Amino acid sequence: MKILIVDDSKAMRMIVQRTLRQAGFDGLELFEAGDGQEGLAGVDEHRPDLVMSDWNMPNMSGIEFLQALRAKGDTTRFGFVTSEGTADMRELAAASGAEFLIAKPFDGDTFKSVLGASVS
């Protein structure tokens, strides 16, 4: 499975990768992008099975990234890993086509329960 991790923090991208491994998800092809604009290019280049994106980023936010993907007809599975998880954000994320919103802090068990058997 190919996963594109989109976050403006290199450290957070590394934490997400490490947490995926700790959750027992092996054999993944992981790609990175630093904001939504890079994420759009990354989806076109790598054709991931799943995008895990931060919400707040410069240039193009995570929600703008998701909405841009959906506007061009792209149905790539998409979820947020973000420091905020208000009810309004969760509602907007779901309405825009996100499958999940994981609030930081998170651990391997969080990833297992949210992603479950859909990641392998």
Side-chain angles (χ1 to χ4, degrees):
M1 173 176 241
K2 296 192 273 187
I3 299 177
L4 176 63
I5 301 165
V6 184
D7 197 302
D8 57 315
S9 166
K10 174 74 171 167
M12 187 52 62
R13 294 192 306 265
M14 298 306 291
I15 290 168
V16 170
Q17 289 182 40
R18 183 182 71 226
T19 306
L20 283 165
R21 286 197 231 21
Q22 289 172 340
F25 299 120
D26 296 317
L28 301 174
E29 288 183 71
L30 302 174
F31 305 96
E32 298 181 28
D35 62 34
Q37 289 177 338
E38 289 181 16
L40 284 172
V43 168
D44 288 342
E45 179 180 351
H46 302 294
R47 302 308 310 158
D49 301 296
L50 173 66
V51 174
M52 299 178 75
S53 178
D54 188 17
W55 188 286
N56 295 308
M57 298 179 286
N59 302 317
M60 179 184 278
S61 70
I63 193 68
E64 292 168 335
F65 170 31
L66 172 57
Q67 290 168 342
L69 275 178
R70 296 302 184 249
K72 68 179 198 166
D74 191 302
T75 60
T76 301
R77 294 181 57 217
F78 195 105
F80 288 101
V81 179
T82 184
S83 58
E84 301 173 53
T86 67
D88 287 345
M89 288 175 73
R90 289 180 184 278
E91 186 177 314
L92 179 57
S96 298
E99 290 186 19
F100 59 84
L101 190 152
I102 298 171
K104 299 172 191 172
F106 50 79
D107 58 20
D109 289 337
T110 306
F111 278 21
K112 276 188 224 177
S113 68
V114 172
L115 300 174
S118 68
V119 174
S120 56

mmCIF file of all heavy atoms in Angstrom, residues 40 51 53-55 61-80 87-101:
data_model
loop_
_atom_site.group_PDB
_atom_site.id
_atom_site.type_symbol
_atom_site.label_atom_id
_atom_site.label_comp_id
_atom_site.label_asym_id
_atom_site.label_seq_id
_atom_site.Cartn_x
_atom_site.Cartn_y
_atom_site.Cartn_z
ATOM 1 N N LEU A 40 -0.794 17.776 -3.834
ATOM 2 C CA LEU A 40 -1.469 17.575 -5.124
ATOM 3 C C LEU A 40 -0.511 16.964 -6.141
ATOM 4 O O LEU A 40 -0.859 16.020 -6.849
ATOM 5 C CB LEU A 40 -2.014 18.904 -5.659
ATOM 6 C CG LEU A 40 -3.284 19.434 -5.007
ATOM 7 C CD1 LEU A 40 -3.589 20.841 -5.514
ATOM 8 C CD2 LEU A 40 -4.463 18.511 -5.269
ATOM 9 N N VAL A 51 -4.004 9.179 1.580
ATOM 10 C CA VAL A 51 -3.322 10.413 1.955
ATOM 11 C C VAL A 51 -3.617 10.681 3.424
ATOM 12 O O VAL A 51 -4.773 10.619 3.849
ATOM 13 C CB VAL A 51 -3.801 11.619 1.112
ATOM 14 C CG1 VAL A 51 -3.193 12.920 1.627
ATOM 15 C CG2 VAL A 51 -3.477 11.419 -0.358
ATOM 16 N N SER A 53 -2.998 13.752 5.953
ATOM 17 C CA SER A 53 -2.605 15.151 5.846
ATOM 18 C C SER A 53 -2.847 15.928 7.134
ATOM 19 O O SER A 53 -3.843 15.713 7.831
ATOM 20 C CB SER A 53 -3.404 15.811 4.709
ATOM 21 O OG SER A 53 -3.092 17.183 4.598
ATOM 22 N N ASP A 54 -1.959 16.876 7.387
ATOM 23 C CA ASP A 54 -2.180 17.878 8.426
ATOM 24 C C ASP A 54 -3.273 18.822 7.928
ATOM 25 O O ASP A 54 -3.560 18.896 6.723
ATOM 26 C CB ASP A 54 -0.876 18.643 8.673
ATOM 27 C CG ASP A 54 -0.934 19.574 9.878
ATOM 28 O OD1 ASP A 54 -1.845 19.420 10.722
ATOM 29 O OD2 ASP A 54 -0.062 20.449 9.983
ATOM 30 N N TRP A 55 -3.872 19.569 8.828
ATOM 31 C CA TRP A 55 -4.915 20.536 8.450
ATOM 32 C C TRP A 55 -4.291 21.899 8.178
ATOM 33 O O TRP A 55 -4.523 22.506 7.142
ATOM 34 C CB TRP A 55 -5.940 20.630 9.576
ATOM 35 C CG TRP A 55 -7.158 21.438 9.249
ATOM 36 C CD1 TRP A 55 -7.235 22.814 9.153
ATOM 37 C CD2 TRP A 55 -8.464 20.947 8.973
ATOM 38 N NE1 TRP A 55 -8.513 23.190 8.845
ATOM 39 C CE2 TRP A 55 -9.300 22.061 8.733
ATOM 40 C CE3 TRP A 55 -9.022 19.680 8.922
ATOM 41 C CZ2 TRP A 55 -10.649 21.950 8.441
ATOM 42 C CZ3 TRP A 55 -10.367 19.565 8.646
ATOM 43 C CH2 TRP A 55 -11.165 20.688 8.399
ATOM 44 N N SER A 61 -3.783 24.716 2.703
ATOM 45 C CA SER A 61 -4.105 23.945 3.901
ATOM 46 C C SER A 61 -4.568 22.536 3.527
ATOM 47 O O SER A 61 -4.850 22.233 2.362
ATOM 48 C CB SER A 61 -5.212 24.647 4.695
ATOM 49 O OG SER A 61 -6.451 24.562 3.994
ATOM 50 N N GLY A 62 -4.679 21.699 4.517
ATOM 51 C CA GLY A 62 -5.132 20.337 4.279
ATOM 52 C C GLY A 62 -6.546 20.269 3.737
ATOM 53 O O GLY A 62 -6.836 19.488 2.834
ATOM 54 N N ILE A 63 -7.440 21.107 4.262
ATOM 55 C CA ILE A 63 -8.822 21.071 3.777
ATOM 56 C C ILE A 63 -8.900 21.603 2.352
ATOM 57 O O ILE A 63 -9.645 21.074 1.523
ATOM 58 C CB ILE A 63 -9.802 21.797 4.742
ATOM 59 C CG1 ILE A 63 -11.260 21.468 4.389
ATOM 60 C CG2 ILE A 63 -9.564 23.287 4.767
ATOM 61 C CD1 ILE A 63 -11.668 20.043 4.633
ATOM 62 N N GLU A 64 -8.096 22.620 2.028
ATOM 63 C CA GLU A 64 -8.042 23.119 0.645
ATOM 64 C C GLU A 64 -7.483 22.049 -0.287
ATOM 65 O O GLU A 64 -7.961 21.891 -1.415
ATOM 66 C CB GLU A 64 -7.188 24.389 0.565
ATOM 67 C CG GLU A 64 -7.799 25.579 1.258
ATOM 68 C CD GLU A 64 -6.830 26.738 1.425
ATOM 69 O OE1 GLU A 64 -5.596 26.520 1.451
ATOM 70 O OE2 GLU A 64 -7.306 27.877 1.535
ATOM 71 N N PHE A 65 -6.502 21.309 0.187
ATOM 72 C CA PHE A 65 -5.910 20.206 -0.569
ATOM 73 C C PHE A 65 -6.969 19.148 -0.869
ATOM 74 O O PHE A 65 -7.160 18.735 -2.024
ATOM 75 C CB PHE A 65 -4.743 19.644 0.254
ATOM 76 C CG PHE A 65 -4.125 18.362 -0.219
ATOM 77 C CD1 PHE A 65 -4.077 17.997 -1.551
ATOM 78 C CD2 PHE A 65 -3.543 17.515 0.712
ATOM 79 C CE1 PHE A 65 -3.477 16.817 -1.963
ATOM 80 C CE2 PHE A 65 -2.940 16.331 0.314
ATOM 81 C CZ PHE A 65 -2.914 15.978 -1.015
ATOM 82 N N LEU A 66 -7.690 18.716 0.168
ATOM 83 C CA LEU A 66 -8.737 17.721 -0.024
ATOM 84 C C LEU A 66 -9.804 18.223 -1.000
ATOM 85 O O LEU A 66 -10.208 17.506 -1.918
ATOM 86 C CB LEU A 66 -9.384 17.371 1.320
ATOM 87 C CG LEU A 66 -10.623 16.477 1.270
ATOM 88 C CD1 LEU A 66 -10.343 15.159 0.570
ATOM 89 C CD2 LEU A 66 -11.157 16.260 2.681
ATOM 90 N N GLN A 67 -10.243 19.458 -0.821
ATOM 91 C CA GLN A 67 -11.281 20.005 -1.690
ATOM 92 C C GLN A 67 -10.794 20.119 -3.134
ATOM 93 O O GLN A 67 -11.558 19.874 -4.075
ATOM 94 C CB GLN A 67 -11.765 21.350 -1.144
ATOM 95 C CG GLN A 67 -12.555 21.173 0.145
ATOM 96 C CD GLN A 67 -12.817 22.471 0.896
ATOM 97 O OE1 GLN A 67 -12.152 23.489 0.668
ATOM 98 N NE2 GLN A 67 -13.767 22.441 1.810
ATOM 99 N N ALA A 68 -9.508 20.459 -3.332
ATOM 100 C CA ALA A 68 -8.949 20.532 -4.687
ATOM 101 C C ALA A 68 -8.907 19.146 -5.331
ATOM 102 O O ALA A 68 -9.213 18.994 -6.519
ATOM 103 C CB ALA A 68 -7.554 21.159 -4.658
ATOM 104 N N LEU A 69 -8.537 18.125 -4.548
ATOM 105 C CA LEU A 69 -8.538 16.753 -5.073
ATOM 106 C C LEU A 69 -9.936 16.351 -5.521
ATOM 107 O O LEU A 69 -10.125 15.848 -6.630
ATOM 108 C CB LEU A 69 -8.071 15.766 -4.005
ATOM 109 C CG LEU A 69 -6.592 15.536 -3.814
ATOM 110 C CD1 LEU A 69 -6.364 14.548 -2.671
ATOM 111 C CD2 LEU A 69 -5.937 15.037 -5.085
ATOM 112 N N ARG A 70 -10.903 16.580 -4.650
ATOM 113 C CA ARG A 70 -12.274 16.174 -4.965
ATOM 114 C C ARG A 70 -12.833 16.972 -6.138
ATOM 115 O O ARG A 70 -13.566 16.422 -6.968
ATOM 116 C CB ARG A 70 -13.179 16.310 -3.733
ATOM 117 C CG ARG A 70 -12.793 15.388 -2.560
ATOM 118 C CD ARG A 70 -12.810 13.923 -2.954
ATOM 119 N NE ARG A 70 -12.533 13.048 -1.816
ATOM 120 C CZ ARG A 70 -11.438 12.337 -1.672
ATOM 121 N NH1 ARG A 70 -10.472 12.382 -2.590
ATOM 122 N NH2 ARG A 70 -11.286 11.558 -0.627
ATOM 123 N N ALA A 71 -12.469 18.248 -6.247
ATOM 124 C CA ALA A 71 -12.966 19.086 -7.344
ATOM 125 C C ALA A 71 -12.498 18.581 -8.696
ATOM 126 O O ALA A 71 -13.187 18.760 -9.702
ATOM 127 C CB ALA A 71 -12.531 20.542 -7.141
ATOM 128 N N LYS A 72 -11.329 17.931 -8.721
ATOM 129 C CA LYS A 72 -10.855 17.391 -10.001
ATOM 130 C C LYS A 72 -11.237 15.925 -10.189
ATOM 131 O O LYS A 72 -10.741 15.259 -11.087
ATOM 132 C CB LYS A 72 -9.358 17.632 -10.181
ATOM 133 C CG LYS A 72 -8.448 16.880 -9.258
ATOM 134 C CD LYS A 72 -6.996 17.212 -9.582
ATOM 135 C CE LYS A 72 -6.064 16.169 -9.000
ATOM 136 N NZ LYS A 72 -4.730 16.266 -9.541
ATOM 137 N N GLY A 73 -12.130 15.450 -9.318
ATOM 138 C CA GLY A 73 -12.649 14.098 -9.477
ATOM 139 C C GLY A 73 -11.789 13.003 -8.879
ATOM 140 O O GLY A 73 -12.048 11.822 -9.114
ATOM 141 N N ASP A 74 -10.766 13.358 -8.115
ATOM 142 C CA ASP A 74 -9.875 12.373 -7.516
ATOM 143 C C ASP A 74 -10.532 11.801 -6.254
ATOM 144 O O ASP A 74 -10.935 12.545 -5.374
ATOM 145 C CB ASP A 74 -8.535 13.022 -7.168
ATOM 146 C CG ASP A 74 -7.479 12.012 -6.782
ATOM 147 O OD1 ASP A 74 -7.717 11.256 -5.817
ATOM 148 O OD2 ASP A 74 -6.425 11.987 -7.431
ATOM 149 N N THR A 75 -10.624 10.490 -6.177
ATOM 150 C CA THR A 75 -11.287 9.833 -5.045
ATOM 151 C C THR A 75 -10.313 9.103 -4.126
ATOM 152 O O THR A 75 -10.728 8.214 -3.359
ATOM 153 C CB THR A 75 -12.344 8.838 -5.560
ATOM 154 O OG1 THR A 75 -11.689 7.860 -6.378
ATOM 155 C CG2 THR A 75 -13.432 9.540 -6.344
ATOM 156 N N THR A 76 -9.038 9.464 -4.165
ATOM 157 C CA THR A 76 -8.048 8.849 -3.288
ATOM 158 C C THR A 76 -8.519 8.927 -1.839
ATOM 159 O O THR A 76 -8.999 9.974 -1.391
ATOM 160 C CB THR A 76 -6.689 9.567 -3.426
ATOM 161 O OG1 THR A 76 -6.249 9.496 -4.791
ATOM 162 C CG2 THR A 76 -5.639 8.938 -2.528
ATOM 163 N N ARG A 77 -8.380 7.822 -1.106
ATOM 164 C CA ARG A 77 -8.738 7.823 0.322
ATOM 165 C C ARG A 77 -7.928 8.893 1.032
ATOM 166 O O ARG A 77 -6.732 9.049 0.773
ATOM 167 C CB ARG A 77 -8.458 6.454 0.940
ATOM 168 C CG ARG A 77 -9.345 5.366 0.377
ATOM 169 C CD ARG A 77 -9.079 4.023 1.027
ATOM 170 N NE ARG A 77 -9.262 4.122 2.457
ATOM 171 C CZ ARG A 77 -8.497 3.480 3.360
ATOM 172 N NH1 ARG A 77 -7.505 2.710 2.959
ATOM 173 N NH2 ARG A 77 -8.730 3.607 4.648
ATOM 174 N N PHE A 78 -8.574 9.623 1.945
ATOM 175 C CA PHE A 78 -7.961 10.799 2.548
ATOM 176 C C PHE A 78 -8.385 10.903 4.004
ATOM 177 O O PHE A 78 -9.552 10.720 4.331
ATOM 178 C CB PHE A 78 -8.441 12.049 1.793
ATOM 179 C CG PHE A 78 -7.653 13.298 2.056
ATOM 180 C CD1 PHE A 78 -6.774 13.777 1.103
ATOM 181 C CD2 PHE A 78 -7.794 14.005 3.241
ATOM 182 C CE1 PHE A 78 -6.048 14.946 1.320
ATOM 183 C CE2 PHE A 78 -7.077 15.168 3.476
ATOM 184 C CZ PHE A 78 -6.202 15.636 2.510
ATOM 185 N N GLY A 79 -7.415 11.207 4.874
ATOM 186 C CA GLY A 79 -7.710 11.460 6.279
ATOM 187 C C GLY A 79 -6.768 12.497 6.841
ATOM 188 O O GLY A 79 -5.707 12.771 6.275
ATOM 189 N N PHE A 80 -7.179 13.090 7.943
ATOM 190 C CA PHE A 80 -6.379 14.122 8.593
ATOM 191 C C PHE A 80 -5.706 13.593 9.849
ATOM 192 O O PHE A 80 -6.285 12.808 10.601
ATOM 193 C CB PHE A 80 -7.260 15.317 8.988
ATOM 194 C CG PHE A 80 -7.713 16.131 7.813
ATOM 195 C CD1 PHE A 80 -8.991 15.983 7.298
ATOM 196 C CD2 PHE A 80 -6.862 17.039 7.207
ATOM 197 C CE1 PHE A 80 -9.414 16.711 6.210
ATOM 198 C CE2 PHE A 80 -7.271 17.777 6.112
ATOM 199 C CZ PHE A 80 -8.545 17.610 5.617
ATOM 200 N N ALA A 87 -15.458 19.784 16.631
ATOM 201 C CA ALA A 87 -16.628 19.201 15.975
ATOM 202 C C ALA A 87 -16.844 19.828 14.599
ATOM 203 O O ALA A 87 -17.178 19.131 13.632
ATOM 204 C CB ALA A 87 -17.862 19.381 16.853
ATOM 205 N N ASP A 88 -16.640 21.149 14.485
ATOM 206 C CA ASP A 88 -16.796 21.822 13.195
ATOM 207 C C ASP A 88 -15.787 21.312 12.173
ATOM 208 O O ASP A 88 -16.131 21.098 11.008
ATOM 209 C CB ASP A 88 -16.654 23.343 13.345
ATOM 210 C CG ASP A 88 -17.862 23.978 14.008
ATOM 211 O OD1 ASP A 88 -18.922 23.327 14.108
ATOM 212 O OD2 ASP A 88 -17.737 25.149 14.432
ATOM 213 N N MET A 89 -14.535 21.114 12.611
ATOM 214 C CA MET A 89 -13.510 20.595 11.704
ATOM 215 C C MET A 89 -13.861 19.185 11.253
ATOM 216 O O MET A 89 -13.733 18.852 10.077
ATOM 217 C CB MET A 89 -12.136 20.600 12.376
ATOM 218 C CG MET A 89 -11.536 21.982 12.545
ATOM 219 S SD MET A 89 -9.993 21.932 13.478
ATOM 220 C CE MET A 89 -8.890 21.217 12.276
ATOM 221 N N ARG A 90 -14.298 18.359 12.179
ATOM 222 C CA ARG A 90 -14.663 16.977 11.849
ATOM 223 C C ARG A 90 -15.814 16.959 10.844
ATOM 224 O O ARG A 90 -15.800 16.183 9.891
ATOM 225 C CB ARG A 90 -15.018 16.196 13.105
ATOM 226 C CG ARG A 90 -13.809 15.895 13.969
ATOM 227 C CD ARG A 90 -14.182 15.105 15.229
ATOM 228 N NE ARG A 90 -13.017 14.929 16.068
ATOM 229 C CZ ARG A 90 -12.086 13.991 15.897
ATOM 230 N NH1 ARG A 90 -12.190 13.159 14.885
ATOM 231 N NH2 ARG A 90 -11.060 13.905 16.707
ATOM 232 N N GLU A 91 -16.782 17.842 11.066
ATOM 233 C CA GLU A 91 -17.931 17.918 10.163
ATOM 234 C C GLU A 91 -17.513 18.375 8.775
ATOM 235 O O GLU A 91 -17.910 17.788 7.762
ATOM 236 C CB GLU A 91 -18.973 18.879 10.745
ATOM 237 C CG GLU A 91 -20.261 18.929 9.964
ATOM 238 C CD GLU A 91 -21.292 19.831 10.624
ATOM 239 O OE1 GLU A 91 -21.486 19.723 11.852
ATOM 240 O OE2 GLU A 91 -21.893 20.645 9.900
ATOM 241 N N LEU A 92 -16.669 19.416 8.699
ATOM 242 C CA LEU A 92 -16.186 19.912 7.409
ATOM 243 C C LEU A 92 -15.342 18.854 6.709
ATOM 244 O O LEU A 92 -15.461 18.649 5.496
ATOM 245 C CB LEU A 92 -15.395 21.214 7.589
ATOM 246 C CG LEU A 92 -14.810 21.831 6.319
ATOM 247 C CD1 LEU A 92 -15.888 22.117 5.278
ATOM 248 C CD2 LEU A 92 -14.048 23.112 6.674
ATOM 249 N N ALA A 93 -14.486 18.173 7.463
ATOM 250 C CA ALA A 93 -13.643 17.127 6.884
ATOM 251 C C ALA A 93 -14.505 16.030 6.262
ATOM 252 O O ALA A 93 -14.290 15.624 5.115
ATOM 253 C CB ALA A 93 -12.718 16.546 7.951
ATOM 254 N N ALA A 94 -15.493 15.560 6.993
ATOM 255 C CA ALA A 94 -16.359 14.498 6.492
ATOM 256 C C ALA A 94 -17.159 14.976 5.282
ATOM 257 O O ALA A 94 -17.274 14.256 4.284
ATOM 258 C CB ALA A 94 -17.293 14.015 7.599
ATOM 259 N N ALA A 95 -17.691 16.188 5.353
ATOM 260 C CA ALA A 95 -18.477 16.726 4.238
ATOM 261 C C ALA A 95 -17.632 16.902 2.982
ATOM 262 O O ALA A 95 -18.144 16.824 1.867
ATOM 263 C CB ALA A 95 -19.114 18.057 4.635
ATOM 264 N N SER A 96 -16.325 17.111 3.169
ATOM 265 C CA SER A 96 -15.420 17.316 2.037
ATOM 266 C C SER A 96 -14.874 16.004 1.485
ATOM 267 O O SER A 96 -14.183 16.002 0.475
ATOM 268 C CB SER A 96 -14.262 18.228 2.455
ATOM 269 O OG SER A 96 -14.749 19.503 2.827
ATOM 270 N N GLY A 97 -15.146 14.900 2.176
ATOM 271 C CA GLY A 97 -14.723 13.612 1.659
ATOM 272 C C GLY A 97 -13.627 12.908 2.438
ATOM 273 O O GLY A 97 -13.094 11.898 1.975
ATOM 274 N N ALA A 98 -13.288 13.410 3.627
ATOM 275 C CA ALA A 98 -12.274 12.738 4.449
ATOM 276 C C ALA A 98 -12.889 11.535 5.153
ATOM 277 O O ALA A 98 -14.047 11.578 5.577
ATOM 278 C CB ALA A 98 -11.688 13.701 5.476
ATOM 279 N N GLU A 99 -12.119 10.471 5.286
ATOM 280 C CA GLU A 99 -12.591 9.270 5.962
ATOM 281 C C GLU A 99 -12.396 9.326 7.466
ATOM 282 O O GLU A 99 -13.093 8.650 8.214
ATOM 283 C CB GLU A 99 -11.861 8.038 5.430
ATOM 284 C CG GLU A 99 -12.240 7.690 4.020
ATOM 285 C CD GLU A 99 -11.608 6.388 3.568
ATOM 286 O OE1 GLU A 99 -11.177 5.572 4.416
ATOM 287 O OE2 GLU A 99 -11.543 6.186 2.353
ATOM 288 N N PHE A 100 -11.396 10.115 7.917
ATOM 289 C CA PHE A 100 -11.111 10.162 9.348
ATOM 290 C C PHE A 100 -10.391 11.459 9.690
ATOM 291 O O PHE A 100 -9.865 12.141 8.818
ATOM 292 C CB PHE A 100 -10.273 8.949 9.802
ATOM 293 C CG PHE A 100 -8.944 8.821 9.089
ATOM 294 C CD1 PHE A 100 -7.820 9.517 9.508
ATOM 295 C CD2 PHE A 100 -8.822 7.976 7.989
ATOM 296 C CE1 PHE A 100 -6.603 9.386 8.852
ATOM 297 C CE2 PHE A 100 -7.611 7.830 7.325
ATOM 298 C CZ PHE A 100 -6.502 8.541 7.761
ATOM 299 N N LEU A 101 -10.393 11.781 10.985
ATOM 300 C CA LEU A 101 -9.595 12.864 11.530
ATOM 301 C C LEU A 101 -9.006 12.340 12.831
ATOM 302 O O LEU A 101 -9.746 12.055 13.765
ATOM 303 C CB LEU A 101 -10.439 14.119 11.774
ATOM 304 C CG LEU A 101 -9.645 15.385 12.128
ATOM 305 C CD1 LEU A 101 -10.398 16.633 11.687
ATOM 306 C CD2 LEU A 101 -9.325 15.465 13.603
#
